[in-house]
Amino acid sequence: MSVTERAPVSPQTNFLGSGPYPEHKGRIVLWSVLIGFALTVIWSAPFVDSVIGDSVANTLLGHDAKATPIGGVLAGTFFAFVSGLAGTFTACNIAAFGAVAPLVGGGTAGRPKFAHTLKPLGWIAAGMLTVSVVYGVIVALVGTRMPQFSTASSPGGLTPRNIQSMIVYGVIGIVFIVLGLASVGLVRNPIAGLTRRFPPAPLVLMGALIGGFLIGRPFPLFRMMFRSAAESHNVFYGAAAFALQSVGNILVMALLFLVLTHGTGGRLQRWMLAKPTRIAVVTGAALLVAGTFTLLYWDLRVLGRTGVIWYPTIKW
């Protein structure tokens, strides 16, 4: 190879790996942020939480989930999984779907093998379960003294539960946004060094962020499971319940990823790999939409609901 020749650039860009970036970075960021903002405006928590979430939980449990006390450890662990599945499309979990694009984009050009597609899901689960299990143990040890149980209102109308949700989801939203900006090459990848030493690091981080949803989650069915684990002071119950809650949270996301990967016979991966910058665009946009929604909904819209600021909403 002469000094003027260059090695061919691989068209594949793994999640936050090296690779070509799109030219119109600002346009991608602008449209992604606008879509995330629009979702916060039209989002209906009563519809998603009650009509969808409660209906799913009531059907799977065979009784009114909110009106029936959790009876024991076995019932509580099953309730944890069901409530996690029921909360799939709630505002405190919808950002998990931002991981679908990085998962699909990490495939290869050939027909995908099922065992290979389970590996990225396993890394996400590793990060997620580490956080959820540790938090479940903490909840069982500390009990109901944690801020997520407090409904004491401050002068601004915010409760400690609200403040914890705003902090947790605000941080998660910012991390999603930074990862999205790094995916399109607008900012430097903050975990580039770690990824070089440990390639699955971005997926583990994504899983940890999804597990972190439980730390600030205000979903009513989750609070029932939370109180049951806290009042039991059983660390094994707390760990199992919080782990199953997280598994329920990502089940639909995982199935969607498998359908997009195997249901298309690899055509989706080939489409993403056909243009060198396509993976960066799709991945970055998905993370930016998820991050913008999470940050604006759980910080600015919450402040708007309590009257601290004005925030546009469409009620339905």
Side-chain angles (χ1 to χ4, degrees), residues 41-44 301 313-316:
V41 175
I42 65 175
W43 192 268
S44 174
R301 180 162 163 166
T313 56
I314 297 177
K315 296 182 178 180
W316 55 285

Side-chain angles (χ1 to χ4, degrees), residues 246-270:
S246 286
V247 171
N249 286 164
I250 68 166
L251 181 61
V252 175
M253 180 213 76
L255 292 175
L256 177 62
F257 161 61
L258 294 175
V259 168
L260 290 175
T261 302
H262 297 281
T264 61
R267 287 189 294 272
L268 181 58
Q269 283 83 358
R270 290 193 292 272

Side-chain angles (χ1 to χ4, degrees), residues 170-183:
V171 171
I172 292 175
I174 291 172
V175 175
F176 266 89
I177 291 172
V178 171
L179 293 178
L181 294 174
S183 295

Side-chain angles (χ1 to χ4, degrees), residues 161-234:
R161 180 186 298 167
N162 295 143
I163 295 172
Q164 180 170 331
S165 296
M166 292 173 66
I167 294 173
V168 170
Y169 284 104
V171 171
I172 292 175
I174 291 172
V175 175
F176 266 89
I177 291 172
V178 171
L179 293 178
L181 294 174
S183 295
V184 298
L186 197 60
V187 301
R188 185 177 180 180
N189 179 6
I191 58 171
L194 178 60
T195 303
R196 283 192 295 269
R197 295 190 300 271
F198 181 59
L203 293 174
V204 176
L205 173 60
M206 185 66 65
L209 294 173
I210 294 173
F213 293 166
L214 303 188
I215 299 176
R217 193 166 204 181
F219 184 44
L221 293 178
F222 169 71
R223 292 204 303 268
M224 289 181 62
M225 184 274 290
F226 194 117
R227 179 171 292 277
S228 176
E231 292 178 343
S232 73
H233 295 292
N234 184 330

Side-chain angles (χ1 to χ4, degrees), residues 1 16 28 35 47 54 82 141 145 167 174 176 180 182 191-192 230 242-243 245 253 261 275 294:
M1 181 182 292
L16 286 185
I28 296 168
I35 292 172
F47 175 79
D54 291 354
V82 169
L141 291 174
R145 299 189 304 275
I167 294 173
I174 291 172
F176 266 89
I191 58 171
F242 277 66
Q245 171 84 192
M253 180 213 76
T261 302
K275 188 175 181 181
T294 302

Side-chain angles (χ1 to χ4, degrees), residues 48-127:
V48 175
D49 291 3
S50 300
V51 177
I52 297 179
D54 291 354
S55 297
V56 170
N58 295 344
T59 300
L60 293 177
L61 292 172
H63 56 73
D64 190 326
K66 289 182 178 178
T68 306
I70 298 176
V73 172
L74 290 178
T77 52
F78 181 62
F79 182 92
F81 173 76
V82 169
S83 60
L85 182 60
T88 296
F89 298 102
T90 58
C92 44
N93 190 69
I94 200 67
F97 287 92
V100 174
L103 285 171
V104 175
T108 58
R111 189 176 183 86
K113 295 182 179 179
F114 188 77
H116 291 169
T117 56
L118 293 181
K119 284 185 178 180
L121 287 176
W123 287 118
I124 285 183

Side-chain angles (χ1 to χ4, degrees), residues 13 15-16 21-22 24-37 39 94-103 105 173 175-186 206 271-272 277-294:
T13 303
F15 176 40
L16 286 185
Y21 298 112
H24 306 291
K25 301 178 178 65
R27 187 183 305 172
I28 296 168
V29 172
L30 176 61
W31 279 107
S32 301
V33 170
L34 287 176
I35 292 172
F37 166 71
L39 286 175
I94 200 67
F97 287 92
V100 174
L103 285 171
V175 175
F176 266 89
I177 291 172
V178 171
L179 293 178
L181 294 174
S183 295
V184 298
L186 197 60
M206 185 66 65
W271 174 82
M272 294 185 75
T277 60
R278 191 166 283 164
I279 293 177
V281 172
V282 175
T283 300
L287 293 172
L288 286 168
V289 170
T292 301
F293 173 84
T294 302

